[in-house]
Amino acid sequence: MSPDPALDPLREALRLSPDNVPLRHHLAGLLVAAGALDEAERLYRQGLASAPEEQRLRFGLADVFRRQGKPEQALVVIEDLLERPDPPPEAQLLGARLLLEAGERAQAARHYHAAVAREPDLADPELAARLPALGEPVPPAGEPDPPVEDPFVVDGRVRVAAGDPPALDEAAAERPSVTFADVGGMEAIKDEIRLKVIHPLDHPELYRAYGKPVGGGVLLYGPPGCGKTHLARATAGEIRAGFVAVGLDQVLDMWLGESERKLHELFERARRGQPCVLFFDEVDALGASRSDMRTSAARLLVNQFLAELDGVERSNDGVLVLAATNAPWHLDAAFRRPGRFDRILFVPPPDAAARAAILRIHCRGKPLGEVDYERLAARADGLTGADLKAVVDLAVEAKLREAIQVGVPRPLTTKDLAAAAKKVKPSTRDWFASARNYATYANQAGLYDEVLAYLERR
């Protein structure tokens, strides 16, 4: 067992005694010193699977992640230790390094000084020089940094600067023609959306009899390319409602107070044209965790978003808010409260039946020969809807080259699509690498149980 056969006796001992945490930690540390980071990571993961509360294993895994150049995964693991009443000083030191790399100087300084106070030998002059000194004011743990003084905020109210800021375009709401029939697979997710979005509009009197409003919010999360936006547009088409896809450029503005005004006007437009679906793609960019924000202006936008979802000024009856994100762990927890995004749905890569359906959809209207969609789907495990579209596009490009030479269209066949599929690699691997860490170490509320269940089936 390379790289160091001298460790083979320890490997054998651990195989015979897999629950021996000190032995596992010792062997993993020797592997780290030998540069065998992947094997060390595997040992730490296996140990945490049976002893998830073991602090030494958590710290070791975070250290391995940092050495592998995965600071985000390392921070997820170490933050769980830092939130405990008496974290190990070594964990606080590592946390300080990771937080500093993430731009969180105040929190990094807090943990560094705490670590050195408890264990003076951990002092690192080079790290300390990059952090606020011990006497400098640092916000208490768990509280956001104080807002920067802003000349445009008076008594907590936003005052727009002189001059006319850019106005929000009054674009008409789209009326999508696609429906659920145009979405391959996702039957369980479609059923959830029917219950939350479609049935209330078809049977409003039944829902009102039980005191359930017609409207609400659904948050779709998962790896990119799995059809979240397509599903949202099909939802609007299914209920023949207006569809407003909200881009960041339609909300974010350099003028103070304008972002909040634009967001309010988008909701007002949806209320005037209900039933209407408001779709926010990359919603974490508008609703990021307020504890991570450094400016009061950014927090004001999140507060405005929450107020609009609550319907503070006007009822949202008939307004359906769909949102999508690839990074739900960055979304402010307040969005998950009842009445806001109270349906949070994981959109995984399509299964075999869904892949076959997606291939059929993308091959519509093209010259076709004999195509075995089920066989192709079985060979395309792990590919997303976007990946499958790339497969069809590559196959079409190859057939176009042939058609140009002979002057007539040549039909697509199973062989053509299979050859194209070999050139397309699953685009979700990096996402699942990050999601696995959040699902394993930051899943106190069970939000990522579906992610864990999906990974267990792989």
Side-chain angles (χ1 to χ4, degrees):
M1 288 187 176
S2 300
D4 190 352
L7 299 179
D8 286 353
L10 290 177
R11 292 186 178 100
E12 179 62 16
L14 184 61
R15 187 185 69 81
L16 297 172
S17 182
D19 295 330
N20 189 329
V21 171
L23 175 60
R24 181 178 294 276
H25 183 60
H26 177 63
L27 175 56
L30 294 175
L31 288 167
V32 169
L37 298 179
D38 290 343
E39 186 179 355
E41 178 189 346
R42 185 169 64 255
L43 288 185
Y44 282 127
R45 283 185 178 277
Q46 290 170 348
L48 285 167
S50 57
E53 298 303 315
E54 179 54 56
Q55 294 191 12
R56 286 172 294 180
L57 299 181
R58 284 180 175 270
F59 172 75
L61 181 60
D63 182 52
V64 168
F65 279 149
R66 184 171 186 267
R67 292 171 185 267
Q68 290 174 323
K70 302 175 182 176
E72 184 174 316
Q73 290 94 319
L75 192 55
V76 170
V77 178
I78 207 69
E79 280 182 335
D80 185 76
L81 284 178
L82 299 181
E83 292 172 358
R84 302 188 179 201
D86 192 23
E90 295 83 359
Q92 290 184 300
L93 181 64
L94 177 59
R97 297 184 192 280
L98 292 167
L99 287 164
L100 180 61
E101 291 173 9
E104 300 289 348
R105 293 181 69 249
Q107 292 187 49
R110 182 159 50 250
H111 289 295
Y112 172 77
H113 294 313
V116 172
R118 297 169 61 195
E119 193 68 54
D121 290 343
L122 295 177
D124 183 337
E126 183 178 347
L127 177 60
R130 301 168 61 194
L131 298 170
L134 187 59
E136 292 184 36
V138 178
E143 293 185 11
D145 294 346
V148 178
E149 288 297 324
D150 198 323
F152 297 109
V153 177
V154 180
D155 294 331
R157 298 175 65 85
V158 176
R159 176 172 61 85
V160 179
D164 295 326
L168 179 68
D169 292 336
E170 280 288 348
E174 177 187 349
R175 296 283 173 176
S177 58
V178 295
T179 66
F180 282 172
D182 302 295
V183 179
M186 301 191 194
E187 296 307 324
I189 299 173
K190 291 176 187 175
D191 286 342
E192 287 282 353
I193 293 177
R194 288 188 183 100
L195 181 65
K196 178 66 178 177
V197 173
I198 298 173
H199 294 334
L201 288 171
D202 291 340
H203 309 284
E205 66 288 345
L206 293 179
Y207 276 72
R208 290 195 176 96
Y210 287 97
K212 295 286 288 182
V214 179
V218 176
L219 175 66
L220 307 172
Y221 80 93
C226 289
K228 296 184 289 294
T229 302
H230 187 51
L231 183 62
R233 182 169 276 106
T235 300
E238 194 77 10
I239 58 178
R240 300 175 298 281
F243 181 81
V244 179
V246 181
L248 296 180
D249 59 320
Q250 293 177 270
V251 177
L252 299 181
D253 196 284
M254 63 177 290
W255 296 86
L256 199 63
E258 274 302 293
S259 296
E260 295 91 296
R261 186 190 69 81
K262 287 183 173 183
L263 185 62
H264 174 69
E265 181 52 36
L266 283 165
F267 272 88
E268 283 295 291
R269 190 195 315 171
R271 292 169 185 133
R272 291 193 296 267
Q274 57 87 21
C276 183
V277 174
L278 267 179
F279 175 64
F280 293 87
D281 201 2
E282 299 180 10
V283 70
D284 50 290
L286 295 176
S289 176
R290 286 167 290 183
S291 63
D292 295 335
M293 295 178 178
R294 297 179 179 82
T295 65
S296 57
R299 296 189 190 104
L300 284 172
L301 179 58
V302 175
N303 291 339
Q304 182 72 37
F305 202 166
L306 294 171
E308 297 296 343
L309 288 172
D310 289 339
V312 172
E313 294 184 9
R314 285 185 59 191
S315 170
N316 285 334
D317 198 32
V319 176
L320 315 164
V321 183
L322 297 183
T325 177
N326 300 330
W329 36 83
H330 294 323
L331 193 66
D332 195 286
F335 284 95
R336 299 195 291 269
R337 291 176 188 162
R340 294 167 181 171
F341 292 121
D342 43 13
R343 283 284 194 282
I344 301 177
L345 307 178
F346 173 50
V347 183
D351 59 18
R355 292 194 296 272
I358 292 169
L359 285 170
R360 283 190 176 91
I361 290 169
H362 287 309
C363 287
R364 283 178 186 168
K366 297 176 176 61
L368 294 176
E370 291 292 329
V371 178
D372 188 341
Y373 294 106
E374 283 69 26
R375 178 183 164 196
L376 290 167
R379 294 185 175 184
D381 186 36
L383 296 189
T384 67
D387 295 334
L388 293 169
K389 183 178 185 302
V391 168
V392 176
D393 289 343
L394 285 173
V396 166
E397 288 172 7
K399 297 309 278 188
L400 278 172
R401 293 189 187 97
E402 292 182 24
I404 290 171
Q405 292 177 354
V406 300
V408 294
R410 291 291 181 87
L412 288 171
T413 65
T414 302
K415 183 179 178 180
D416 299 320
L417 291 164
K422 292 179 180 179
K423 301 177 182 178
V424 178
K425 304 300 180 185
S427 59
T428 60
R429 289 172 180 167
D430 290 342
W431 188 90
F432 276 111
S434 295
R436 182 189 294 273
N437 291 305
Y438 284 100
T440 304
Y441 306 112
N443 193 31
Q444 291 84 353
L447 177 62
Y448 309 122
D449 286 350
E450 290 180 282
V451 176
L452 289 174
Y454 177 84
L455 291 171
E456 288 174 1
R457 296 193 297 268
R458 306 296 292 167

